[in-house]
C-alpha cells in the first residue's frame, strides 16, 4: 500500500495552503469494480472536471489561485502531482464542491478520485530521480573546498557577489547558482590570491609539492655528456616528469575524479610553456612558479567550479558513478570535496555497496567537518542568516539597545550549536520543537536572564522551565520573525506553519490593509485586539485563523527575543485556540501541541533534507522517497542517523535520469 501526503486547500475561498503542505492521502490498493476499468484522462476525467470544477477554477476565474482548465493533458497532472493530491483530498473530504454547488454524483466521485489517483500512482512506479545535477559550488562550498584542497582560508562569502537561494531555500540549489562576468572575474582574482598565499606558506606548499626540484651535479654532468653525442638526447630528470607527480594528484582532487588524458596533456603543456618562459629563474623557484600557474588554471576550470555529473546515455534512471556519489555525499555532509578515504573507495568501485556506504555516512557524521553541514543547513532552513546580513531590518537598536551585533552573533551560534548537538549527541529531531537544554555563553545567558553561565565560550545549559528550549524559544528565530519596531504574530505564525509543519498560506490579497503602526495604539489595545479587528475582514479570516493563534502564543518574546509580560499598558495574553480546536496557555503548551504533529514535522524535515542533499527543490517524482524518509523518522523516534542513512540510499540521491528537466518542461 502506498501512502502519499499532501496539504488541504480551501478551494471555495482565497486562501490555500501551499505545495509544502502536508495531509495524509490513502491511495487504495483495491479500487472499486467501477475503477477497475481503465479511465482515460481526456475522455473520462476532463468532462467531470468541466461539469463540476471549471465554473470556479478556470482561466477567467481561478478561485484560490487554482486554474484546473489548463491541465489539458495527463502529463500536466503528473508535473503538478502535489496540487492534484490536494484536489482529490478536497473531493474525498467533501469540501469540494462547496456547499453552494451541487454535490458530486457517485460516478463522478469515483472518476475523479480513482482516476487521478491511478495517474499519480502510475507516474511514481518508476521512481524517477531528478535531472542530472550540474551546479556551481556555492560560496560556502567553495570556501571549504579551497581549505581542504590547499589549506588556505579564503573568505569566499564576503569576497564574491552574493547568490540567491533556490526552490528549497538553500544556497546550494542549482537554479540559483548563476554565473556572471563579475563572478568569473572574482574567480580569477581568488585563484591568484589563493595560490600566492599557498606559495608563500612553506608548510602548506610542502603538503602539495613534497619535494624540491633541481638537478644535482651528477645529473647536470650526465645531461651535458648526452648532449655532446646527440642533439636529440632526452633530458635528465625532466621538469615535466617531476611536475606530473604534483599536477595530476592536485587536479584529480580538485576535479573530484580521475583526469581525462586530454586534461593531463593540457595541464602539462601549460606547465612546459610557463617553465620555458621562466628562464630568468633558477630551480626550484622556476619549477614552483610554473606549478603555481597550473594550480591557478585548475582553480578556474569548470571541472573545479562546477559539480558535474555525466549525462547518461539511456533514457531510464541509472545509478551515479562512484565519484559522483562520493561528491554528492561529501558536499551534503561536509560542504566540501571528498577526502582521501572517499576518493579511494570511489576509485576502487566500492562506494556503491550498501554496507560501505553506511560506514562512510557514520564516519562522516562523526567527523568535525559535519559541523559545516549543521551550520549551513539549519541557518538557511530557519532563515537566521538574516542575523549576519547588515541590510536586513531587524529590531532597531534605538528601541532595543541590548540587541547588539555581538548578541546577534551569539543567537546565531546558539542555534547552530544546538542543531549540531541534536544530530551528533541527543539524536532526536523532536528536540528542535521542545528541549530542556540550549547552548549559551555568558552574554547571551545574561540577555535571556538565565543565571549560572560565566564562560565566554558556548556550553550546554540545562533549562528549568519551558520558556526557552527548542527553536521557538531561541532569540535567533524570534528576532528574524519580527518587525524592526514590534513583534508580528502573523510572521511568527506563518513561520511555524511553514518551517515546522511544512504548510504554507498564500500571500495576502493586494487590497488588504496592514496593521496600524501607532505605538500608543499597540500599548493600549495589544496585538491580539488589533488582529481580531484585522481578521474580521472575510478576505483575511481563513488564513489568519491558522496563523494568528500560533504567533500570539509567542507574544511573550519581544522583537529582540527577550522575555516580556506586557505591552506597556496591557498584560500579554499568550493563550490561543487552533483551528483544530486545541487550546493552549503560552509557548510551553504550544510546543506540546506541535509535538503531536509528528507526521507533518517528519515530512517537512524529509523534504528539507532531501532538497539540500540533492541541490534542488523537491519534485512530485520525489514523493515516494519523501514518504520513505517520513516513515523512517516516525518508526525510529526521529533518530538522525538512520534517517540520513535512508536518504543517501534513496533513488533521488543515488540515481540520475537523462535530461529530466527538459522533458518535464515540455509537458
Amino acid at each position: 500500500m502506498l501512502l502519499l501526503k499532501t496539504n488541504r486547500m480551501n478551494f471555495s475561498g482565497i486562501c490555500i495552503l501551499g505545495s509544502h503542505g502536508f495531509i495524509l492521502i490513502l491511495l487504495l490498493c483495491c479500487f472499486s469494480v467501477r475503477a477497475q476499468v481503465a479511465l482515460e484522462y481526456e475522455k473520462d476525467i476532463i468532462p467531470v472536471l468541466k461539469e463540476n470544477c471549471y465554473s470556479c477554477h478556470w482561466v477567467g476565474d481561478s478561485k484560490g489561485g487554482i486554474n484546473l482548465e489548463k491541465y489539458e493533458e495527463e502529463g500536466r497532472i503528473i508535473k503538478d502531482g502535489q496540487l492534484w493530491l490536494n484536489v482529490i483530498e478536497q473531493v474525498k473530504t467533501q469540501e469540494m464542491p462547496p456547499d453552494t454547488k451541487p454535490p458530486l454524483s457517485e460516478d463522478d466521485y469515483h472518476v475523479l478520485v480513482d482516476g487521478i489517483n491511478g495517474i499519480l500512482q502510475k507516474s511514481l512506479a518508476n521512481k524517477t530521480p531528478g535531472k542530472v545535477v550540474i551546479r556551481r559550488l556555492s560560496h560556502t562550498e567553495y570556501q571549504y573546498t579551497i581549505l581542504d584542497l590547499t589549506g588556505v582560508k579564503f573568505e569566499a562569502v564576503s569576497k564574491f557577489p552574493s547568490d540567491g537561494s533556490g526552490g528549497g531555500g538553500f544556497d546550494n540549489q542549482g537554479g540559483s547558482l548563476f554565473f556572471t562576468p563579475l563572478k568569473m572575474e572574482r574567480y580569477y582574482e581568488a585563484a591568484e590570491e589563493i595560490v600566492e598565499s599557498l606559495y608563500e606558506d612553506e608548510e602548506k606548499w610542502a603538503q602539495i609539492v613534497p619535494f624540491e626540484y633541481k638537478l644535482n651535479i651528477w645529473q647536470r654532468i650526465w645531461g651535458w655528456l648526452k648532449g655532446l653525442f646527440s642533439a636529440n638526447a632526452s633530458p635528465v630528470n625532466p621538469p615535466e616528469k617531476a611536475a606530473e607527480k604534483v599536477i595530476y594528484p592536485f587536479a584529480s582532487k580538485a576535479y573530484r575524479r580521475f583526469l581525462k588524458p586530454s586534461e593531463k596533456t593540457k595541464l602539462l603543456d601549460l606547465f612546459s610553456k610557463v617553465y620555458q618562459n621562466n628562464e630568468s629563474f633558477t630551480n626550484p623557484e622556476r619549477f614552483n612558479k610554473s606549478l603555481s600557474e597550473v594550480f591557478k588554471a585548475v582553480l578556474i576550470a569548470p571541472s573545479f567550479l562546477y559539480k558535474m555529473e555525466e549525462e547518461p546515455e539511456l533514457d531510464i534512471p541509472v545509478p551515479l558513478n562512484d565519484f559522483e556519489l562520493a561528491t554528492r555525499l561529501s558536499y551534503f555532509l561536509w560542504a566540501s570535496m571528498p577526502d582521501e578515504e572517499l576518493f579511494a573507495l570511489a576509485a576502487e568501485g566500492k562506494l556503491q555497496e550498501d554496507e560501505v556506504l553506511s560506514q562512510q555516512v557514520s564516519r562522516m557524521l562523526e567527523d568535525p567537518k559535519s559541523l559545516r553541514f549543521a551550520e549551513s543547513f539549519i541557518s538557511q532552513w530557519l532563515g537566521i542568516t538574516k542575523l549576519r546580513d547588515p541590510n536586513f531590518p531587524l529590531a532597531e537598536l534605538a528601541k532595543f539597545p541590548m540587541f547588539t551585533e555581538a548578541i546577534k552573533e551569539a543567537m546565531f551560534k546558539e542555534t547552530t550549536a544546538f542543531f549540531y548537538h541534536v544530530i551528533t549527541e541527543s539524536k532526536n529531531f523532536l528536540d528542535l520543537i521542545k528541549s530542556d537544554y540550549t547552548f549559551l555563553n555568558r552574554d547571551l545567558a545574561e540577555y535571556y536572564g538565565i543565571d549560572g553561565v560565566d564562560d565566554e565560550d558556548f556550553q550546554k545549559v540545562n533549562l528549568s522551565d519551558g520558556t526557552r528550549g527548542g527553536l521557538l524559544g531561541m532569540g535567533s528565530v524570534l528576532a528574524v520573525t519580527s518587525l524592526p519596531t514590534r513583534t508580528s504574530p502573523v510572521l511568527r505564525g506563518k513561520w511555524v506553519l511553514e518551517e515546522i509543519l511544512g504548510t504554507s498560506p498564500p500571500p495576502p490579497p493586494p487590497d488588504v490593509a496592514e496593521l496600524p503602526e501607532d505605538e500608543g495604539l499597540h500599548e493600549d489595545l495589544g496585538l491580539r485586539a488589533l488582529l481580531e479587528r484585522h481578521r474580521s475582514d472575510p478576505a483575511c479570516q481563513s488564513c489568519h485563523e491558522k496563523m494568528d493563534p500560533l504567533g500570539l502564543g509567542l507574544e511573550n518574546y519581544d522583537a529582540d527575543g527577550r522575555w516580556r509580560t506586557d505591552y506597556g499598558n496591557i498584560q500579554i495574553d499568550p493563550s490561543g485556540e487552533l483551528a483544530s480546536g486545541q487550546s493552549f496557555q503560552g509557548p510551553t503548551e504550544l510546543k506540546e501541541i506541535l509535538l503531536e504533529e509528528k507526521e507533518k514535522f517528519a515530512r517537512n524535515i524529509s523534504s528539507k533534507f532531501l532538497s539540500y542533499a540533492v541541490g534542488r527543490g523537491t519534485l512530485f517524482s520525489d514523493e515516494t522517497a519523501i514518504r520513505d524518509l517520513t516513515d523512517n523518522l516516525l518508526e525510529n523516534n526521529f533518530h538522525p542517523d538512520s534517517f540520513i542513512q535512508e536518504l543517501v540510499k534513496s533513488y533521488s540521491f543515488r540515481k540520475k535520469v537523462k535530461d529530466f528537466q527538459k522533458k518535464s518542461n515540455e509537458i
Side-chain angles (χ1 to χ4, degrees):
M1 182 177 293
L2 174 63
L3 294 179
L4 296 182
K5 296 191 174 180
T6 181
N7 57 290
R8 295 179 66 175
M9 300 186 301
N10 183 356
F11 279 73
S12 61
I14 293 177
C15 292
I16 296 177
L17 296 185
S19 62
H20 299 291
F22 179 86
I23 289 181
L24 181 63
I25 288 185
L26 179 61
L27 296 181
L28 300 176
C29 291
C30 299
F31 291 124
S32 64
V33 174
R34 183 185 290 103
Q36 291 177 14
V37 178
L39 294 170
E40 297 181 20
Y41 180 67
E42 295 184 22
K43 177 184 176 183
D44 300 312
I45 299 175
I46 283 185
V48 176
L49 290 171
K50 186 177 295 185
E51 180 181 351
N52 296 280
C53 306
Y54 284 2
S55 62
C56 294
H57 303 289
W58 64 295
V59 66
D61 184 17
S62 53
K63 283 186 169 58
I66 301 299
N67 172 18
L68 299 182
E69 190 180 25
K70 70 178 182 180
Y71 295 93
E72 299 170 349
E73 301 92 17
E74 183 175 310
R76 292 177 181 266
I77 295 279
I78 297 169
K79 184 180 177 183
D80 289 342
Q82 190 66 48
L83 172 91
W84 283 92
L85 288 178
N86 299 336
V87 171
I88 298 308
E89 172 66 7
Q90 296 294 306
V91 173
K92 291 176 69 175
T93 57
Q94 299 183 4
E95 294 184 43
M96 275 288 296
D99 294 338
T100 56
K101 301 289 183 180
L104 292 174
S105 68
E106 185 178 357
D107 283 344
D108 287 350
Y109 173 88
H110 284 291
V111 166
L112 286 182
V113 173
D114 297 340
I116 293 176
N117 273 346
I119 292 172
L120 297 179
Q121 276 188 298
K122 183 174 64 176
S123 73
L124 293 173
N126 294 329
K127 294 188 176 181
T128 304
K131 65 176 181 176
V132 174
V133 178
I134 302 176
R135 51 195 168 103
R136 177 173 55 78
L137 298 180
S138 71
H139 298 339
T140 301
E141 291 170 337
Y142 181 97
Q143 182 168 309
Y144 285 132
T145 303
I146 289 295
L147 178 62
D148 292 342
L149 180 64
T150 68
V152 175
K153 293 183 178 180
F154 179 77
E155 297 296 330
V157 176
S158 61
K159 294 187 179 181
F160 289 157
S162 61
D163 288 324
S165 58
F170 300 107
D171 65 4
N172 68 350
Q173 309 282 290
S176 65
L177 295 170
F178 302 110
F179 213 98
T180 64
L182 177 59
K183 279 191 170 71
M184 191 70 248
E185 181 180 329
R186 294 292 171 84
Y187 281 125
Y188 275 101
E189 294 172 356
E192 291 274 358
E193 181 180 335
I194 292 162
V195 174
E196 182 179 343
S197 177
L198 176 64
Y199 185 78
E200 293 174 352
D201 190 314
E202 293 183 4
E203 185 176 345
K204 288 185 174 65
W205 183 264
Q207 293 293 320
I208 297 174
V209 188
F211 59 85
E212 190 175 80
Y213 176 79
K214 61 182 179 181
L215 297 178
N216 59 39
I217 187 170
W218 300 111
Q219 289 171 328
R220 289 198 297 270
I221 292 173
W222 180 239
W224 175 73
L225 289 173
K226 290 177 69 175
L228 290 177
F229 294 99
S230 174
N232 297 321
S234 60
V236 177
N237 190 16
E240 289 81 4
K241 199 67 177 177
E244 287 180 5
K245 300 176 183 178
V246 176
I247 294 173
Y248 294 170
F250 180 84
S252 188
K253 290 178 183 177
Y255 296 172
R256 303 170 284 276
R257 55 172 170 76
F258 288 141
L259 297 182
K260 301 173 183 177
S262 60
E263 292 170 329
K264 291 182 178 181
T265 301
K266 184 177 179 180
L267 292 171
L268 205 58
D269 286 349
L270 174 61
F271 171 85
S272 297
K273 182 178 179 180
V274 176
Y275 189 84
Q276 295 303 319
N277 292 335
N278 278 343
E279 293 180 351
S280 60
F281 296 98
T282 59
N283 281 315
E285 186 177 13
R286 181 182 182 184
F287 180 81
N288 289 339
K289 282 187 173 295
S290 302
L291 283 178
S292 294
E293 294 305 312
V294 178
F295 292 162
K296 293 175 188 176
V298 169
L299 296 184
I300 60 172
S303 292
F304 172 72
L305 296 175
Y306 283 84
K307 287 174 278 187
M308 295 187 177
E309 296 172 359
E310 294 183 3
E311 185 168 301
E313 296 180 2
L314 301 175
D315 288 325
I316 60 174
V318 299
L320 302 171
N321 68 43
D322 284 74
F323 287 109
E324 292 168 348
L325 181 57
T327 296
R328 278 203 187 186
L329 196 58
S330 64
Y331 280 98
F332 170 33
L333 296 178
W334 286 347
S336 184
M337 56 184 276
D339 65 354
E340 294 284 355
E341 186 169 335
L342 274 176
F343 200 91
L345 288 169
E348 295 169 7
K350 294 182 177 179
L351 195 56
Q352 299 282 2
E353 300 173 13
D354 283 349
E355 184 177 352
V356 173
L357 188 58
S358 295
Q359 291 170 350
Q360 288 305 302
V361 170
S362 297
R363 178 181 73 88
M364 295 175 74
L365 288 172
E366 292 171 0
D367 191 288
K369 285 192 288 188
S370 62
L371 177 60
R372 302 170 180 178
F373 159 71
E375 291 178 342
S376 179
F377 176 78
I378 196 66
S379 63
Q380 293 183 79
W381 172 14
L382 305 181
I384 65 171
T385 52
K386 301 179 182 73
L387 291 168
R388 290 179 167 178
D389 183 353
N391 298 316
F392 189 84
L394 295 172
E396 293 179 353
L397 196 60
K399 185 171 183 179
F400 304 98
M402 296 182 68
F403 191 63
T404 62
E405 293 301 317
I407 287 297
K408 293 179 191 177
E409 183 63 21
M411 288 177 172
F412 185 92
K413 290 182 177 178
E414 174 195 15
T415 307
T416 55
F418 177 82
F419 182 71
Y420 183 63
H421 179 83
V422 167
I423 63 174
T424 58
E425 298 293 337
S426 82
K427 304 289 188 181
N428 192 333
F429 283 129
L430 291 178
D431 284 0
L432 298 177
I433 295 180
K434 180 185 177 183
S435 70
D436 58 2
Y437 66 91
T438 190
F439 283 78
L440 305 173
N441 65 356
R442 180 180 58 209
D443 291 344
L444 190 57
E446 290 178 358
Y447 188 83
Y448 286 163
I450 295 175
D451 298 326
V453 181
D454 301 320
D455 203 318
E456 293 182 2
D457 295 330
F458 276 79
Q459 58 189 274
K460 183 182 177 183
V461 177
N462 293 324
L463 303 171
S464 57
D465 58 42
T467 300
R468 299 292 171 180
L471 298 177
L472 297 185
M474 292 188 178
S476 59
V477 169
L478 298 162
V480 301
T481 55
S482 296
L483 300 174
T485 59
R486 64 169 175 83
T487 56
S488 172
V490 176
L491 286 179
R492 286 180 177 173
K494 182 174 182 286
W495 186 92
V496 173
L497 285 176
E498 291 180 336
E499 308 306 341
I500 301 299
L501 302 180
T503 60
S504 181
D511 56 343
V512 174
E514 296 183 359
L515 291 179
E517 290 298 326
D518 186 320
E519 188 169 338
L521 193 60
H522 281 257
E523 290 184 355
D524 290 338
L525 294 179
L527 280 177
R528 180 179 292 274
L530 290 174
L531 284 170
E532 287 174 355
R533 286 185 181 181
H534 187 68
R535 64 172 177 264
S536 61
D537 185 338
C540 306
Q541 185 176 5
S542 60
C543 282
H544 281 275
E545 283 180 344
K546 299 178 179 71
M547 296 186 295
D548 291 359
L550 295 168
L552 288 168
L554 303 175
E555 270 298 280
N556 282 124
Y557 305 104
D558 211 338
D560 60 352
R562 300 183 73 204
W563 184 264
R564 62 182 181 175
T565 58
D566 58 67
Y567 294 114
N569 298 326
I570 187 172
Q571 288 291 114
I572 290 173
D573 177 9
S575 64
E577 182 175 334
L578 304 181
S580 63
Q582 295 169 293
S583 60
F584 61 89
Q585 296 288 332
T588 302
E589 293 185 10
L590 175 58
K591 294 175 191 177
E592 293 291 346
I593 291 177
L594 293 176
L595 278 176
E596 297 175 13
E597 299 285 359
K598 287 184 173 62
E599 290 192 61
K600 291 182 181 179
F601 185 51
R603 181 182 172 88
N604 190 43
I605 291 176
S606 301
S607 180
K608 294 289 185 182
F609 263 79
L610 184 61
S611 176
Y612 182 89
V614 299
R616 59 170 173 77
T618 55
L619 308 167
F620 178 67
S621 57
D622 297 311
E623 184 64 31
T624 302
I626 292 174
R627 178 63 258 174
D628 290 342
L629 290 169
T630 301
D631 288 344
N632 183 281
L633 287 172
L634 295 172
E635 293 166 5
N636 294 283
N637 196 31
F638 285 78
H639 198 290
D641 290 358
S642 60
F643 169 76
I644 294 175
Q645 294 278 3
E646 178 84 22
L647 191 157
V648 301
K649 293 176 183 177
S650 68
Y651 67 91
S652 295
F653 189 85
R654 292 184 64 175
K655 291 190 175 184
K656 59 185 177 181
V657 67
K658 183 178 181 179
D659 204 17
F660 176 81
Q661 188 65 44
K662 179 180 178 182
K663 289 181 180 177
S664 67
N665 285 340
E666 288 175 349
I667 294 175

